[in-house]
């Protein structure tokens, strides 16, 4: 069968499973032989349906295929035979023996004779080999475990045990795409096309009858026995639709494609683990990588572009009014010299001539050029300060003390983040500090935040991006550990243990779509780690020396290391990644001091370092040193070197409180001519840093206006220490105020799933819908109140006396439909037309909360104000389950596919967990969360107790009027809690998780708001009531649905307006104390 036909079968299998056509599903699995459903096979075995077991198995293998298949059939027939004997059905047992088991006689006649002898026994357990046989149910379960191992080892089943990875309801999506394409070909396309059949091609020109919009999609939608069809709408209102279900995933088809252990199909070559048949790199070379990984690799390589065929971008342009520079003409000329692209990079282009000397009052300890601006140089010193210089003007742009918590510390390493928005500093105190920087890098934002990272000194620090595009910082220290921290939240993600000596260097890297990490220790060991794995994958060892630096060439093709030797043999190597051995030894590197040697590379061709008080250069492909350069001021025996992003400048760290900046001889000559034209003939420009005051910054807002951060004085282990940032006005945030002018308070708020809309439900039971373009950031410029027509309105049914009723709302996964209630009937609206599709479940009792099932979007859980819970099938208009375990109103519902459960919470903070087995709901566990102070009746009316799963479904957020809890699952235990205190003493009115589950957005009755860290419920940011406006407070809160805008949230206000906020917290560093 052709490949596309095979894939079509899988689409049909997914469709049958989603529609619960089980018999047809398993018949097609068997007849096609494409998909062996292990769960179905287990069910048949446990039920003892032996004929069905063999019939299903025959679609995939026969007894004669191989020894695995023969063993499978033998075990099944043996169990069938024993069960007949146990039931004393001797005739049936004899028939099984002579027909089913006869085929095995030739293979093992002795076993066959022994089985025949069981017929004459009253109880076959009298046979010593069967003495431990239990009952049939236990024997079937044990036999299935054996069968499963045989099936997984059988090559016949190799590609049939895992279902291909695809989006839910993929067949419907393909049909929709075809209809959308047909609709685009219509000469006179209708704004809202109607589909009456799939048997012919769609055309708006066809003169089809125009049925009633509701009845066409859902016959008898409002009747008790009618059916409601919820179609998929892929896109906007002018797209053609067809479906009976909203697209949802199904647990039985969420398996990953068949891969080897640790997913190492495309792992770096040196990760040669005996984990199974790993695909060779040549097999992977033609395969496209996921866009996000390509973007990460491109970002890694573009940090400092030094290709042999150089393509430069010049220095970052800063407005002329930004800095008051005394030599603007010289700035432009210097920038032209060092920012001009080269067509090639040869030996004569290597920087060997000193053009600038920066002298310090404190000894500099580390240097790093900006990742994109050729002239910006970062330097850290022994006094704990980091300063940035513009080498083209010799100006110090700013200086920042990186340790507010500990005095008398040194900066061991200071580096830039890939985009230049952050600076990381490794401190001698064992702490790590991060500093946010203004977009053009001419000013810092706020104060640095710190973490107690290692015992002893922190020796190295590097930024990198994990596969999920998560920015992290990697650190190592004297405590022999390597740690990985999330930059945004400050949480420690990984700890790598295994080094037996101090770790001097880390080198994160991405190769063949695999993110991994190398670390080097003082004893000469280089270890390779995979994120998420506790053990190192590969160890490299250099005998007789220790390693101080490891680095890749900038195209990622070559790995180098250097260290301390005995003064007679070199310790500068290129490594063979595949075998973990030394590939090239570069001569004349004889570092025998205790200084930590550092190497850098340029143009994917040259290596440079300081050795024996000299600058030394090597070609990648030549073991002998090219040449060395001796400077007028003696360099230390070993020191740090650093190229700028295009290789035109080289900075060298001196031992007498200076930093030398070098350029090529040609560039230096141009610079000297430029200086002569300015009346300055000195070949080398010397600047005393202590004599030059900080230049004023005009285009960057003062840090105090951007964000105020107070550093906590209490040290904490494994948590970043900064008290909550205070935002006092909207100027400190990116914000947009949305209004529809009706003045009614917001009761419920939710973002659309595609992140391009925001739906609000007011206290007058009327909905407001704002829309914008695809990019979530455009909400601040383009969000506008949207209606399909000027008179269109979505208003819920309201019962008499329901003014104070709890409102609830849930939006479908395809953003086409919304279910909503405001104390009256539950209403089903078409979000594209605002038309009501159905209204059902009139009160009392009234619906108080709702949640869509995560696998079948026709199934909805509905909590009611009398404490009852209903599971309702919208399409069939049928209540499937009705239970009651709560004594008061259910106010929150949350499904979990990971735990196969539904969680409900009531207004008295009682949490119930419901197991879901075969569409049946049974209570598994419950938890009562007690607040120190019981909420008043007014507080209860203000706040609905809500629940929400984190993205991993490992924790559950429970929000009460006077308490927040993070509840671990499935243990159902509160792992962290927070109660209003100090500056936040008001009642909680609403709370929700960010879409990436790293933050909690929370509103309070006094008009303040706060952002909490999910891990420990520590406050990372507080919004002053001035942000919302005088007398206003947050009545509903919702987080953006796209992780790319994880810090954006919307606050529904008491006056009916909606405020969308995205705080600017120093590069979005939301670190907080535990």
């Amino acid at each position: 069968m052709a490949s596309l036909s095979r894939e079509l079968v899988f689409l049909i299998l997914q469709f049958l499973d989603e529609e619960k056509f089980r018999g047809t599903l398993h018949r097609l699995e068997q007849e096609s032989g494409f998909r062996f459903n292990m769960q179905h096979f287990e069910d048949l075995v446990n039920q003892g349906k032996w004929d069905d077991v063999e019939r299903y198995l025959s679609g995939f293998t026969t007894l004669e295929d191989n020894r695995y298949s023969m063993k499978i059939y033998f075990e099944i027939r043996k169990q069938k035979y024993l069960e007949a004997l146990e039931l004393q059905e001797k005739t049936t047992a004899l028939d099984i023996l002579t027909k089913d088991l006869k085929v095995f006689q030739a293979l093992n006649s002795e076993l066959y004779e022994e089985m025949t002898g069981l017929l004459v026994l009253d109880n076959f357990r009298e046979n010593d080999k069967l003495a431990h046989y239990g009952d049939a149910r236990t024997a079937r379960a044990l036999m299935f475990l054996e069968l499963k191992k045989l099936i997984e080892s059988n090559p016949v089943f190799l590609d049939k045990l895992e279902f291909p990875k695809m989006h839910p309801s993929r067949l419907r999506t393909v049909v929709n795409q075809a209809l959308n394409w047909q609709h685009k070909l219509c000469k006179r396309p209708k704004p809202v096309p109607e589909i009456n059949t799939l048997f012919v091609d769609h055309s708006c020109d066809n003169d089809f009858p125009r049925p009633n919009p509701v009845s066409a999609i859902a016959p008898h939608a409002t009747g008790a026995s009618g059916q409601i069809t919820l179609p998929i709408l892929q896109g906007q209102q002018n797209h053609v639709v067809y479906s009976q279900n909203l697209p949802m995933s199904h647990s039985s088809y969420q398996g990953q494609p068949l891969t080897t252990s640790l997913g190492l199909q495309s792992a770096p070559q040196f990760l040669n683990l005996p984990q199974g048949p790993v695909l060779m790199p040549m097999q992977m070379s033609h395969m496209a990588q996921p866009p996000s990984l390509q973007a990460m690799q491109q970002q890694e390589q573009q940090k400092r572009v030094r290709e042999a065929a150089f393509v430069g971008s010049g220095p970052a342009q800063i407005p002329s009014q930004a800095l008051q520079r005394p030599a603007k003409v010289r700035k432009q000329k210097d920038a032209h010299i060092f920012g001009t692209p080269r067509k090639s990079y040869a030996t004569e282009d290597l920087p060997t001539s000193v053009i600038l000397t920066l002298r310090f009052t404190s000894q500099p300890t580390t240097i790093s050029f900006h990742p994109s601006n050729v002239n910006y140089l970062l330097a850290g010193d022994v006094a704990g300060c980091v300063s940035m210089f513009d080498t083209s003007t010799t100006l110090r742009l700013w200086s920042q003390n990186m340790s507010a918590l500990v005095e008398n510390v040194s900066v061991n390493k200071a580096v830039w983040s890939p985009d230049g928005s952050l600076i990381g500093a490794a401190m001698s105190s064992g702490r790590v500090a991060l500093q946010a920087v203004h977009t053009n890098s001419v000013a810092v934002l706020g104060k640095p935040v710190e973490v107690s990272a290692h015992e002893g000194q922190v020796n190295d620090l590097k930024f990198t991006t994990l596969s999920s595009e998560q920015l992290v910082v990697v650190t190592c220290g004297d405590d022999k550990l390597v740690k990985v921290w999330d930059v945004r939240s400050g949480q420690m993600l990984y700890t790598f243990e295994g080094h037996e000596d101090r770790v001097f260097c880390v080198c994160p890297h991405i190769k063949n779509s695999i993110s991994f990490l190398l670390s080097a220790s003082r004893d000469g060991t280089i270890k390779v780690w995979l994120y998420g794995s506790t053990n190192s994958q590969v160890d490299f060892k250099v005998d007789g020396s220790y390693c101080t630096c490891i680095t890749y060439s900038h195209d990622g093709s070559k790995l180098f290391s250097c260290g301390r030797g005995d003064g007679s043999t070199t310790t500068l190597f290129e490594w063979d990644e595949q075998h973990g051995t030394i590939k090239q030894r570069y001569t004349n590197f004889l570092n025998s001091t205790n200084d930590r040697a550092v190497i850098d590379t340029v143009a994917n061709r040259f290596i440079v370092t300081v050795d024996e008080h000299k600058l030394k250069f090597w070609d990648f492909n030549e073991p002998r040193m090219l040449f060395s350069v001796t400077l007028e001021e003696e360099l230390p025996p070993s020191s740090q070197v650093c190229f700028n992003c295009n290789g035109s400048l080289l900075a060298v760290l001196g031992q007498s409180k200076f930093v030398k900046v070098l350029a090529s001889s040609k560039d230096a000559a141009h610079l000297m001519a430029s200086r002569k034209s300015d009346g300055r003939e000195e070949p080398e420009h010397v600047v005393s840093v202590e004599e030059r005051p900080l230049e004023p910054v005009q285009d960057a807002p003062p840090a105090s206006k951007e964000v105020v951060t107070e550093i906590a004085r209490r040290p904490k282990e494994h948590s970043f220490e900064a008290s909550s940032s205070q935002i006092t006005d909207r100027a400190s945030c990116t914000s947009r105020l949305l209004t529809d002018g009706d003045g009614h308070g917001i009761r419920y708020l939710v973002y659309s799933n595609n992140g391009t809309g925001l739906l609000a439900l007011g206290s007058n039971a009327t909905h407001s819908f704002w829309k914008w373009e695809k990019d979530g950031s455009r909400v601040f410029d383009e969000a506008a109140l949207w209606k399909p027509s000027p008179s269109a309105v979505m208003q819920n049914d309201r019962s008499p006396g329901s003014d104070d009723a709890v409102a609830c709302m849930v939006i479908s996964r395809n953003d086409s439909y919304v279910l909503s209630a405001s104390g009256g009937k539950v209403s089903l609206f078409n979000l594209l037309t605002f038309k009501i599709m159905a209204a059902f479940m009139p009160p009392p009792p009234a619906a108080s909360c709702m949640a869509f099932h995560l696998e079948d979007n026709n199934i909805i859980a509905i909590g009611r104000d009398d404490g009852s819970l209903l599971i309702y099938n919208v399409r069939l208009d049928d209540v499937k389950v009705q239970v009651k375990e709560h004594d008061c109103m259910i106010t929150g519902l949350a499904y979990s596919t990971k735990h196969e459960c539904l969680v409900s919470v009531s207004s008295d903070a009682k949490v119930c967990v419901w197991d879901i087995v075969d569409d049946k709901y049974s209570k598994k566990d419950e938890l009562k969360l007690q607040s120190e102070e019981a909420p008043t009746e007014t507080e209860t009316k203000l706040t609905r107790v809500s629940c929400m799963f984190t993205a991993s479904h490992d924790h559950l957020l429970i929000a009460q009027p006077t308490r927040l809890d993070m509840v671990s699952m499935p243990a159902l235990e509160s792992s962290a809690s927070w109660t209003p205190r100090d500056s936040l003493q008001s009642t909680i009115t609403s709370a929700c998780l960010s879409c990436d589950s790293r933050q909690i957005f929370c509103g309070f009755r006094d008009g303040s708001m706060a952002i909490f860290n999910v891990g420990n419920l520590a406050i990372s940011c507080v919004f002053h009531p001035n942000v919302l406006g005088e007398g206003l407070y947050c009545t509903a809160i919702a987080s953006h649905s796209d992780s790319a805008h994880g810090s954006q949230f919307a606050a529904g206000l008491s006056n009916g307006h909606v405020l969308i906020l995205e705080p600017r917290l120093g590069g979005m560093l939301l670190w907080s104390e535990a």
Side-chain angles (χ1 to χ4, degrees):
M1 186 178 290
S3 175
L4 290 181
S5 298
R6 186 176 188 274
E7 292 182 2
L8 178 60
V9 172
F10 281 112
L11 295 181
I12 297 172
L13 288 174
Q14 184 193 49
F15 171 81
L16 292 174
D17 184 70
E18 292 172 343
E19 291 298 308
K20 296 181 172 55
F21 297 130
R22 304 300 188 196
T24 308
L25 168 69
H26 301 316
R27 182 68 178 271
L28 181 56
E29 290 171 344
Q30 173 199 335
E31 292 189 354
S32 67
F34 291 158
R35 155 72 168 163
F36 184 83
N37 192 324
M38 189 70 77
Q39 182 61 54
H40 173 60
F41 184 70
E42 181 181 7
D43 293 340
L44 293 178
V45 170
N46 289 335
Q47 295 169 21
K49 297 180 178 180
W50 304 118
D51 292 341
D52 292 339
V53 168
E54 288 206 28
R55 188 180 301 111
Y56 185 73
L57 191 63
S58 65
F60 304 91
T61 185
T62 63
L63 187 146
E64 297 83 8
D65 282 347
N66 54 49
R67 60 187 181 91
Y68 295 103
S69 299
M70 183 172 293
K71 176 68 171 173
I72 291 170
Y73 276 97
F74 174 75
E75 292 294 333
I76 293 171
R77 294 177 182 181
K78 181 185 72 173
Q79 181 62 30
K80 180 181 177 182
Y81 176 63
L82 293 177
E83 290 187 15
L85 290 175
E86 186 172 28
L87 296 174
Q88 297 299 318
E89 297 177 354
K90 301 289 187 177
T91 304
T92 303
L94 179 61
D95 190 60
I96 296 171
L97 181 68
T98 56
K99 292 181 180 179
D100 296 339
L101 293 172
K102 184 70 173 179
V103 67
F104 302 104
Q105 182 179 13
L107 299 174
N108 193 332
S109 58
E110 293 182 3
L111 178 60
Y112 185 79
E113 291 176 3
E114 191 173 2
M115 295 181 70
T116 303
L118 298 178
L119 285 170
V120 300
L121 300 176
D122 292 334
N123 186 345
F124 63 79
R125 294 176 180 82
E126 297 174 12
N127 186 296
D128 294 339
K129 295 180 180 179
L130 298 173
H132 299 289
Y133 183 93
D135 56 14
R137 182 177 179 180
T138 304
R140 292 171 186 172
L142 293 174
M143 183 193 69
F144 173 74
L145 296 177
E146 180 67 22
L147 294 180
K148 185 178 180 181
K149 294 179 182 178
L150 291 170
I151 290 171
E152 291 174 346
S153 302
N154 195 335
V156 172
F157 293 89
L158 183 61
D159 58 346
K160 300 174 183 179
L161 299 179
E162 297 290 345
F163 197 85
K165 188 176 182 180
M166 66 180 75
H167 290 293
S169 302
R170 180 59 185 163
L171 182 60
R172 298 184 187 279
T173 302
V174 172
V175 173
N176 285 343
Q177 290 171 347
L179 291 172
N180 288 331
W181 176 253
Q182 293 172 8
H183 182 61
K184 290 180 180 179
L185 299 179
C186 295
K187 296 180 180 179
R188 294 181 293 276
K190 297 177 182 179
V192 183
E194 298 176 2
I195 302 300
N196 296 278
T197 180
L198 294 177
F199 295 154
V200 296
D201 290 346
H202 162 73
S203 174
C204 291
D205 302 326
N206 293 340
D207 189 19
F208 287 120
R210 296 180 60 85
N212 179 278
V214 175
S215 61
I217 302 176
H220 310 292
T222 59
S225 61
Q227 295 183 346
I228 300 174
T229 302
L230 301 181
I232 297 175
L233 288 183
Q234 299 288 347
Q236 302 303 321
Q237 62 185 31
N238 61 337
H239 279 205
V240 183
V241 302
Y242 166 73
S243 179
Q244 290 184 335
N245 289 329
L246 296 170
M248 302 298 296
S249 62
H250 197 284
S251 59
S252 62
Y253 292 125
Q254 289 300 308
Q256 299 295 324
L258 185 63
T259 60
T260 57
S261 298
L262 298 176
L264 296 178
Q265 311 98 297
S266 54
Q269 292 182 357
F270 57 79
L271 301 180
N272 282 334
L273 307 178
Q275 302 284 349
V278 181
L279 295 179
M280 296 302 292
M282 59 180 295
Q283 294 175 274
M284 296 296 295
S285 60
H286 67 285
M287 298 176 66
Q289 298 170 358
S292 60
L293 292 176
Q294 287 182 340
M296 290 191 303
Q297 289 179 316
Q298 183 179 9
Q299 184 184 49
E300 289 286 337
Q301 293 191 14
Q302 287 182 349
K303 292 178 191 175
R304 301 188 290 177
V305 182
R306 305 169 188 175
E307 302 294 336
F310 172 74
V311 180
S313 58
Q317 297 299 316
I318 302 176
S320 58
Q321 71 272 21
L323 299 175
Q324 295 179 355
R325 301 184 178 98
K328 293 183 179 179
V329 175
R330 178 164 55 85
K331 159 65 181 173
Q332 296 168 356
K333 290 183 179 181
D334 291 2
H336 174 75
I337 293 172
F338 303 120
T340 304
R342 293 184 175 90
K343 294 183 179 180
S344 63
Y345 199 109
T347 305
E348 56 269 19
D349 295 317
L350 288 170
T352 56
S353 300
V354 177
I355 60 169
L356 175 65
T357 299
L358 298 173
R359 299 198 180 278
F360 295 76
T361 54
S362 298
Q363 175 62 40
T365 55
T366 177
I367 48 178
S368 176
F369 271 106
H370 193 278
S372 60
N373 190 300
V374 295
N375 293 310
Y376 286 175
L377 177 65
L378 191 71
D381 59 35
V382 295
C385 291
V386 169
S387 305
M388 193 180 77
F389 301 87
D390 186 339
T391 59
S392 64
T393 64
T394 70
L395 296 180
R396 183 175 65 174
L397 300 182
W398 51 260
S399 181
Q400 179 70 42
N401 183 1
M402 298 298 287
S403 181
L405 301 177
V406 182
E407 298 180 353
N408 302 320
V409 300
S410 172
V411 179
N412 288 340
K413 191 66 175 289
V415 296
W416 295 91
S417 65
D419 62 356
S421 65
L422 296 171
I423 292 170
M427 314 296 288
S428 61
S429 61
R431 309 177 72 81
V432 168
L434 292 196
Q435 173 67 60
V437 184
H438 194 262
T439 52
N440 58 13
S441 302
V442 298
V444 295
L445 298 178
K447 298 178 181 179
V449 285
E450 300 181 55
V451 62
S452 179
H454 295 271
E455 295 182 6
Q457 299 197 46
V458 183
N459 295 320
D460 197 11
L461 172 148
K462 296 283 175 36
F463 288 94
T464 189
T465 309
L466 298 186
S467 57
S468 59
E469 299 186 2
Q470 177 185 13
L471 184 64
V472 299
V473 63
V474 183
T475 63
C476 65
D478 286 350
D479 55 4
K480 309 174 187 177
L481 299 178
V482 178
K483 298 183 180 182
V484 182
W485 309 84
D486 179 79
V487 165
R488 196 155 169 269
S489 67
Q491 293 299 302
M492 186 175 66
L493 302 178
Y494 307 106
T495 298
F496 299 114
E497 302 180 13
H499 280 289
E500 297 179 357
D501 208 333
R502 290 180 290 166
V503 186
F504 280 161
C505 180
V506 288
C507 180
H509 195 60
I510 300 173
K511 194 165 189 176
N512 294 337
S513 305
I514 299 296
S515 297
F516 59 95
L517 170 67
L518 297 95
S519 57
S521 57
R522 189 181 183 278
D523 59 5
T525 301
I526 300 175
K527 291 181 177 287
V528 183
W529 313 88
L530 284 174
Y531 299 102
S533 177
T534 56
N535 298 319
S536 61
Q537 306 301 311
V538 179
D539 290 356
F540 303 170
K541 188 67 171 71
V542 182
D543 296 328
S545 62
Y546 65 78
C547 190
T548 59
C549 179
I550 45 176
T551 186
Y552 272 92
S553 60
H554 294 282
D555 62 359
S557 63
K558 294 179 180 292
L559 176 65
F560 303 97
S561 74
C562 73
R564 179 183 181 275
D566 56 9
S568 60
T569 58
T570 184
T571 60
L572 177 59
F573 310 120
E574 178 192 349
W575 290 89
D576 183 337
E577 297 176 314
Q578 183 172 2
H579 301 99
T581 58
I582 295 174
K583 182 178 181 180
Q584 180 91 278
R585 295 175 183 266
Y586 297 95
T587 62
N588 297 100
F589 183 83
L590 304 175
N591 178 36
S592 59
T593 68
N594 290 323
D595 295 331
R596 298 177 189 172
V598 174
I599 57 175
D600 203 358
T601 64
V602 66
N604 295 315
R605 181 178 173 185
F606 300 107
I607 306 172
V608 64
T609 189
V610 174
D611 183 41
E612 297 181 306
H613 307 281
K614 303 175 185 178
L615 274 172
K616 294 184 177 181
F617 296 83
W618 289 265
D619 188 294
F620 282 5
N621 302 314
E622 296 292 334
R624 298 181 60 183
M625 183 179 67
L626 285 177
F627 59 86
S628 63
V629 176
T630 302
L631 304 184
E632 292 184 5
E633 285 187 272
E634 186 176 69
L635 294 173
S638 184
S639 183
Q640 287 193 34
V641 293
C642 179
F643 280 102
N644 68 350
C645 60
N646 67 2
S648 60
L649 296 177
L650 174 66
V652 184
L653 198 62
Q655 63 181 350
S656 302
K657 300 181 182 179
F658 68 82
V659 172
K660 298 281 186 180
V661 180
L662 294 83
S664 68
S665 300
K666 183 178 180 181
D667 287 342
H670 283 297
L671 180 61
M672 187 169 152
S674 172
R675 288 172 177 166
K676 284 183 178 180
S677 67
D678 291 339
R680 298 171 291 112
E681 298 186 1
E682 69 276 17
E684 175 189 337
H685 195 59
V686 180
V687 178
S688 296
V689 174
E690 67 274 15
E691 296 174 358
R692 181 176 297 280
L694 291 177
E695 297 296 328
V697 179
Q698 296 179 355
D699 69 331
S704 60
K705 292 184 179 180
E706 188 72 22
V707 60
V708 179
T709 305
E710 296 180 358
I711 304 300
R713 299 289 176 179
R714 184 174 69 249
K716 296 278 184 158
E717 181 67 18
H718 294 165
S719 62
F720 289 92
E721 293 151 7
S723 65
S724 59
S725 301
Q726 182 82 12
I727 292 181
T728 58
D729 53 46
R730 295 183 193 174
S732 299
C733 305
T734 305
S735 64
R736 175 70 185 271
L737 185 66
L738 307 178
T739 177
D740 64 358
D742 63 8
H744 290 83
I746 302 298
R747 291 290 185 86
Y748 208 94
L749 198 62
V750 62
Y751 275 88
S752 62
N753 292 290
N754 62 10
T756 62
L758 184 65
L759 184 63
L761 175 59
S763 58
N764 61 347
T766 302
H767 301 77
S768 301
F769 190 35
W770 292 271
K771 294 177 69 174
W772 53 89
E773 293 298 323
K774 290 183 179 180
D775 185 357
S777 61
R778 296 187 181 181
V779 62
F780 301 110
D781 301 318
E782 301 177 0
L785 191 66
W786 183 86
K787 293 183 178 182
S789 64
S791 60
V793 63
M794 288 192 297
Q795 187 167 23
N796 284 335
D797 171 68
R798 302 182 72 183
S799 298
S802 62
D803 293 343
D804 294 331
V806 174
C808 55
M809 178 173 61
V810 62
I811 195 169
S812 66
R813 291 288 296 273
N814 63 0
D815 298 326
S816 297
Y817 293 88
V818 60
L819 279 163
S820 182
S822 298
K825 294 180 180 179
V826 177
S827 301
L828 170 66
F829 294 98
N830 185 317
L831 200 52
L832 301 180
T833 64
F834 281 18
K835 293 181 179 180
I836 187 169
M837 307 295 294
F840 48 90
M841 290 190 180
S848 53
C849 59
M850 294 179 285
F852 273 114
H853 193 284
L854 297 182
E855 295 178 354
D856 188 344
N857 224 17
N858 288 312
I859 304 298
I860 302 171
I862 301 176
R864 302 198 288 184
D865 58 10
D866 67 342
S868 61
L869 172 64
L870 275 65
I871 308 301
Y872 181 72
N873 189 312
V874 182
R875 184 159 60 94
L876 302 178
D877 189 22
D878 182 31
V879 176
K880 295 293 186 182
V881 177
Q882 182 169 351
V883 292
K884 185 175 180 180
E885 285 289 338
H886 293 277
D887 299 325
C888 52
M889 179 190 300
I890 298 178
T891 55
L893 292 168
Y895 273 102
S896 171
T897 52
K898 179 176 181 178
H899 303 294
E900 296 184 346
C901 71
L902 170 69
V903 174
S904 60
V905 60
S906 52
S907 56
D908 60 354
K910 180 181 178 180
V911 183
C912 292
V913 179
W914 305 86
D915 260 348
I916 306 174
V917 180
D918 295 331
D919 297 331
K920 296 180 180 179
Y921 289 65
S922 59
K923 194 177 106 171
K924 177 183 178 182
D925 205 351
E926 72 173 57
L927 171 68
K928 187 67 179 292
L929 294 170
Q930 299 287 348
S931 298
E932 295 180 3
E933 297 183 6
T936 64
E937 183 178 352
T938 303
E939 290 173 337
T940 303
K941 288 183 178 180
L942 279 172
T943 308
R944 55 186 298 148
V945 180
S946 60
C947 61
M948 190 181 218
F949 273 106
T950 59
S952 65
H953 286 219
D954 291 331
H955 287 85
L956 185 74
L957 169 66
I958 305 291
Q960 305 180 55
T962 58
R963 177 168 168 168
L964 294 176
D965 282 273
M966 291 303 299
V967 177
S968 61
M969 293 293 291
L972 202 64
E973 296 176 350
S974 179
S975 59
S977 63
W978 181 89
T979 54
R981 57 182 180 270
D982 300 330
S983 60
L984 291 174
Q985 298 183 1
S986 184
T987 302
I988 299 171
T989 56
S990 184
C992 72
L993 287 164
S994 63
C995 59
D996 56 10
S997 297
R998 298 181 188 175
Q999 304 163 63
I1000 299 171
F1001 306 117
C1002 188
F1004 296 85
R1005 178 59 181 85
D1006 63 358
S1008 58
M1009 295 186 296
I1011 299 178
F1012 293 81
N1013 184 291
V1014 167
N1016 50 22
L1017 290 185
I1019 300 173
S1020 57
C1021 177
V1022 174
F1023 296 80
H1024 191 274
N1026 291 342
V1027 175
L1028 299 185
E1030 184 177 358
L1032 299 179
Y1033 64 94
C1034 174
T1035 57
I1037 203 163
S1039 60
H1040 198 286
S1041 54
D1042 186 352
S1043 58
H1045 306 280
S1047 298
Q1048 184 185 130
F1049 66 97
L1053 307 184
S1054 52
N1055 65 349
H1057 296 173
V1058 175
L1059 181 62
I1060 299 180
L1061 293 167
E1062 193 162 333
R1064 299 191 298 268
L1065 297 178
M1068 289 314 300
L1069 296 178
L1070 301 179
W1071 301 354
S1072 57
E1073 60 176 326

